[in-house]
Amino acid sequence: MTILHLDENHPLLIQQLAALGHINHEDYTSSREEIMAKIHHYDGCIIRSRFTIDAEFLAKATNLKFIGRVGAGLENIDVAFAEQQGIQLIAAPEGNRNAVGEHALGMLLSLLNKLNKADREVRAGKWLREANRGVELDGQTVGIIGYGNMGKAFAKKLRGFDVEVLFYDVKENIGDENATQVSLETLQKRATVLSLHTPQTPLTINMIDMEFINAFHHNFWLINTARGKSVVTQDLVAALQSGKILGAGLDVLEYEKSSFENLFQDAQMPEAFQYLIAAENVLLSPHVAGWTVESKEKLAQTIVDKFKKHFH
């Protein structure tokens, strides 16, 4: 096959595909339109998040047999149309699940122990011990929404702590030794920590809104390493202001897809975002939960392994 690589990934991806006898072309700079003009020459393409592969793009890809997405989800691809065209879709959620589990745990521990706030204060010459008294994770009830690769990896990381782990998922009977499956109502009644591990779907966009937050019986800590659009930022801010949400660790933001840097040059910075960047009980990272040295290699290897299973 002739395969077009649209994003730079771990070199093993191209090396192993070449060793299997496939021809690899790399194009990391052409516009979407330029790629569309030549995509009919290719049997496969491999992408991360450079642009959307929609029906218009797929209609031009008349010889495409597969698309590899070096990442967990397929939301930048029109899945239904691709399947209709008989195109095999390959994603790699297994490749970065461990990284996401560790990052979510790191964010949670950092928030509970005010590490980001304490670090800034010590650097500024302040030695405030009482103001940085932490809260222990032991004794908390952790609620996970979405129990796929990521949710399971996070639950596994929690095993060393004396916590109760509950999860809600639309699939039934998927509990294991690390977490108990419950209804959403039960999770909202009991959880003191909420961690999101859901893909972006019509069900999950704007899922965490005021009504959802207020259905929680306890004030709680929120971790989001999933998708930025799952949380209504304005409602999150209102809940942080009221104390309903005790703190938030956000690896993803609803603003990230538009050029994030422009938010800072612009007079248009949303008010809710201004609050988040000033808040001491908010921890932010730039969508890197699944982005480790090891996951870069594992993601690429997962794509190759799945490709071999389908085409060799």
Side-chain angles (χ1 to χ4, degrees):
M1 290 194 203
T2 308
I3 300 166
L4 180 61
H5 296 256
L6 296 169
D7 287 290
E8 208 167 334
N9 290 297
H10 194 283
L12 76 79
L13 191 54
I14 287 175
Q15 288 161 6
Q16 292 189 24
L17 289 170
L20 291 167
H22 302 289
I23 299 155
N24 296 281
H25 292 178
E26 298 164 73
D27 187 340
Y28 308 143
T29 53
S30 294
S31 69
R32 184 170 173 275
E33 283 60 39
E34 288 166 325
I35 299 290
M36 274 168 65
K38 66 178 182 180
I39 194 65
H40 62 282
H41 295 303
Y42 291 94
D43 303 297
C45 84
I46 292 180
I47 190 166
R48 238 183 14 241
S49 302
R50 194 163 134 211
F51 49 68
T52 303
I53 294 187
D54 56 10
E56 182 195 12
F57 184 100
L58 291 166
K60 304 259 191 223
T62 44
N63 289 306
L64 216 55
K65 296 172 185 61
F66 85 95
I67 300 169
R69 163 94 215 289
V70 186
L74 292 166
E75 62 262 30
N76 57 337
I77 299 166
D78 185 331
V79 174
F81 193 80
E83 285 172 351
Q84 213 177 304
Q85 303 284 92
I87 298 168
Q88 181 71 45
L89 300 176
I90 302 171
E94 307 89 339
N96 59 0
R97 61 188 170 193
N98 185 68
V100 171
E102 288 192 10
H103 194 96
L105 180 58
M107 282 192 133
L108 179 55
L109 290 171
S110 188
L111 275 178
L112 294 175
N113 292 289
K114 305 185 179 178
L115 292 184
N116 53 325
K117 171 181 177 289
D119 174 73
R120 280 198 302 270
E121 288 172 359
V122 173
R123 289 167 193 267
K126 297 177 192 163
W127 194 262
L128 305 174
R129 295 183 68 215
E130 191 54 47
N132 287 299
R133 195 181 278 277
V135 174
E136 292 177 22
L137 179 51
D138 273 26
Q140 306 272 353
T141 298
V142 180
I144 294 172
I145 296 187
Y147 206 61
N149 281 285
M150 311 301 164
K152 285 180 176 151
F154 180 53
K156 190 179 169 192
K157 299 293 165 209
L158 292 165
R159 283 180 73 161
F161 296 89
D162 190 7
V163 291
E164 181 179 27
V165 184
L166 309 174
F167 75 88
Y168 168 73
D169 195 289
V170 289
K171 291 182 183 160
E172 288 175 14
N173 303 317
I174 54 170
D176 56 24
E177 69 276 16
N178 300 325
T180 306
Q181 186 158 14
V182 294
S183 67
L184 184 57
E185 293 69 33
T186 300
L187 187 139
Q188 288 172 316
K189 192 175 170 184
R190 292 169 57 190
T192 54
V193 172
L194 173 64
S195 189
L196 303 180
H197 297 281
T198 42
Q200 186 168 301
T201 69
L203 274 180
T204 63
I205 291 174
N206 297 334
M207 169 174 70
I208 312 297
D209 60 8
M210 199 44 94
E211 187 187 350
F212 186 97
I213 293 165
N214 286 335
F216 276 74
H217 184 72
H218 302 284
N219 296 343
F220 66 98
W221 305 85
L222 174 69
I223 305 291
N224 186 12
T225 53
R227 291 291 180 254
K229 290 195 182 344
S230 295
V231 176
V232 179
T233 312
Q234 255 179 310
D235 292 0
L236 165 63
V237 166
L240 285 163
Q241 287 170 326
S242 72
K244 184 71 192 175
I245 291 181
L246 299 164
L250 308 172
D251 180 52
V252 288
L253 293 165
E254 69 171 284
Y255 316 110
E256 69 187 84
K257 281 295 183 224
S258 51
S259 179
F260 178 77
E261 290 82 357
N262 292 348
L263 283 176
F264 289 83
Q265 296 152 5
D266 221 333
Q268 299 309 306
M269 190 192 280
E271 215 172 301
F273 184 54
Q274 288 177 43
Y275 180 88
L276 290 182
I277 56 177
E280 290 186 325
N281 59 342
V282 173
L283 191 57
L284 303 164
S285 59
H287 203 147
V288 290
W291 207 251
T292 59
V293 171
E294 294 84 356
S295 75
K296 185 176 184 181
E297 188 172 334
K298 285 186 213 165
L299 285 165
Q301 191 62 60
T302 303
I303 296 291
V304 175
D305 292 347
K306 289 187 178 181
F307 172 82
K308 283 205 292 214
K309 210 170 112 182
H310 288 294
F311 297 107
H312 280 268

